Amino acid sequence: MNKKTLSFQAEVAQLLHLVTHALYSNKEIFLRELISNASDACDKLRFEALDNGALYENAPDLDVRVTFDKDAKTITITDNGIGMSQQEAIDHLGTIAKSGTKDFVSRLSGDQKSDAQLIGQFGVGFYSGFIVADKISVESRRAGLPAAEGVRWVSGGAGDFEVEAIERTARGTSVTLHLRDDADEYLSPWKLKGIIGKYSDHISLPILMEKEEWKDGDLIDPNDEKGGRQPGQMVKTGEWETVNKASALWSRPKKDITPEQYDEFYKQISHDFEPPLAHTHNRVEGSTEYTQLLYIPSKAPFDLWNREKKGGLKLYVKRVFIMDDAEALLPSYLRFVKGVVDSADLPLNVSRELLQESRDVKAIREGCSKRVLSMLEDLAKNDKAQLAAPSVEGVTDVVSEEDKAAAAASEGKYSKFYAEFGAVLKEGLGEDFGNRERLAKLLRFASTQSDTMSVGFADYKARMKDGQDAIYYITAENLSAGRNSPQLEVFKKKGIEVLVMTDRVDEWALNYLNEFDGTPLQSVAKGAVDLGKLQDETEKKAAEEAAETFKPLLAKLKEALKDKASDVRITTRLVDSPACLVVQDDGMSTQLARMLKQAGQKAPDVKPVLEVNADHPLVKKLDGSVHFNDLAHILFDQALLAEGGLPDDPAAYVKRVNALLV
Ligand code: ADP
């Protein structure tokens, strides 16, 4: 391959430009990212060598070496891992294969602070080298290929890069950073060791630096011992020393690991720049033995909702890296969890297909799900916002000092978690039947009494009115649409709290939950309202009488609206509005049907029930009106508008209203 110049994928070029600016205040992470790549490359070699021992080329000891050259102003990170072929260097360093990259880049604004956060969620890996370097040269040879098939890749980080074939005997990759003038500070062994200790101590691979020792300067007059000397300096000795702990973090006892080390390990495996919200670290013994170290991120990744996104944990078998994104280790509704599982039982050559079927994996998956749920339960318990939630009158919670301390440490954490991942968690209701009850306890909603998503079913139950025997909820496009819905009028009048559910998944997820702790869940938009004991005798009687008196009118309305409404009936749920739409008990809500249609999916044509308010002047006026037909249609279309829908024929609606106005 002759030397050639190639262009970066358009998104890479844009990203590079922004990375250098956005990450300027957090420069030193470049070393963590490059060491992390080097460590991944060694993991990959170890894995491929399970099938093909020749890849070790008789040199099975893997390590990463960090060197620097003060005069040339360079830092070099060298690994003897899997390396890259010429084509791989072009593909892997010139494009970003991650799904959603385009979307991600389009969200970068040039604003340093918000970009830094986004980039943190995305992970820039190799390209972070350009924060400190104005030129990077990479030399590599893939394990197993002949020396003549080495590759040199060089770029100044603007629009393009150069590649050429080189002779390279050493297997693996060297990344040389030509430092910018303002990055001189990294040309110091202390500085580099400090950063490695901070970010990479937990990497199981040894990271080596060349030992230096102090050498006195030469005597100015060689014959005079007491005469002056040239200035002394540190010189390299040719000996290498390991500068990190080099033992896999998860295999060390908990008590030997500091919170900072846990956080750093998280950052390394997740490429997140922010510390995690919580972690759990356990060695599980029993029929299957494994170690789990699981983290809950504090921010959702940019591609949480991307269908192609792979969730999952890193899988190791007896410390040997097996695969990233092992989806089989956690159900998909926990795809936001990051971490490591190290199994003592699985075979080293386990494949993704095998994972799906393994009984050990099933046990691990269950164990990990339970752990994550306990972690969330703890956060919820200690969330101060939750502790401070209105408690039942006259009952003072007894909170121990210990609980108080735990609460202070995790104040607001559950709300934070919920804002980021609550919607994903709800998918679990349909996916993980075994944990449905635990999941239900973890859900939070806004309500007619709370603006924030902080009401759990248990809080709701504790505040239920005497005689109330259902948990009422409404699904809506947003909080204000839900709260102002005519369907809530009677609930408001009677002071009954209604949960307002505004997540897209709510309606679907609630299909899987009929009750909470023995109390049925009831959508206020489905079926006829039956407030049961909450309704007094006079109200019931009035409703029955109205139904009788209005029978002929209802029949006429039904006839006029036969293409639109499946039924027309009198309701007690309305106070101020003349009419509203509801669906039959077992029907799909109009809200969900609308959402499916917007998403381009097939939805059954739901013909809702029109419920009318017998006390409303408009309804009273209907009978005998010469405009009966127009009024009937207006009544229906307005009910549709009130719940955020659109009349089938908006022009016809406008025409009718105008005709009446004139
Ligand atoms: P990521 O590591 O998140 O995939 P990077 O931008 O850091 O993204 O690296 C892109 C790709 O380049 C890696 O996935 C890997 O295939 C390759 N790569 C980077 N560094 C090395 C290395 N030291 N040895 C072998 N391959 C590497």
Side-chain angles (χ1 to χ4, degrees), residues 279-301:
H279 74 261
T280 178
H281 180 194
N282 315 282
R283 170 165 291 148
V284 182
E285 281 160 7
S287 56
T288 29
E289 268 178 44
Y290 60 95
T291 301
Q292 56 185 187
L293 173 53
L294 309 176
Y295 292 93
I296 295 176
S298 31
K299 277 243 163 286

Side-chain angles (χ1 to χ4, degrees), residues 305-319:
W305 299 103
N306 187 329
R307 278 168 202 266
E308 291 152 55
K309 177 186 163 68
K310 293 204 194 109
L313 306 173
K314 270 183 192 285
L315 174 65
Y316 286 73
V317 172
K318 300 185 194 83
R319 313 283 152 72

Side-chain angles (χ1 to χ4, degrees), residues 37-38 41 44 79 83-84 92-93 98 124-127 173 271:
N37 279 353
K44 281 182 198 154
D79 66 72
M84 284 176 272
H92 295 164
L93 305 181
K98 263 182 255 189
V124 284
F126 172 77
Y127 301 110
T173 305
H271 296 284

Side-chain angles (χ1 to χ4, degrees), residues 406-465:
S410 53
E411 184 181 332
K413 276 192 182 174
Y414 192 69
S415 324
K416 214 171 154 192
F417 159 79
Y418 204 80
E420 296 288 324
F421 302 109
V424 192
L425 198 65
K426 289 176 195 162
E427 294 175 12
L429 291 179
E431 198 185 342
D432 187 355
F433 300 143
N435 287 312
R436 202 184 285 165
E437 277 172 27
R438 290 179 77 176
L439 278 165
K441 284 187 191 148
L442 287 167
L443 301 186
R444 300 289 180 271
F445 303 97
S447 82
T448 43
Q449 293 178 22
S450 164
D451 287 341
T452 56
M453 284 212 229
S454 60
V455 187
F457 288 124
D459 307 316
Y460 180 98
K461 272 193 77 167
R463 301 204 281 260
M464 272 183 5
K465 294 260 173 221

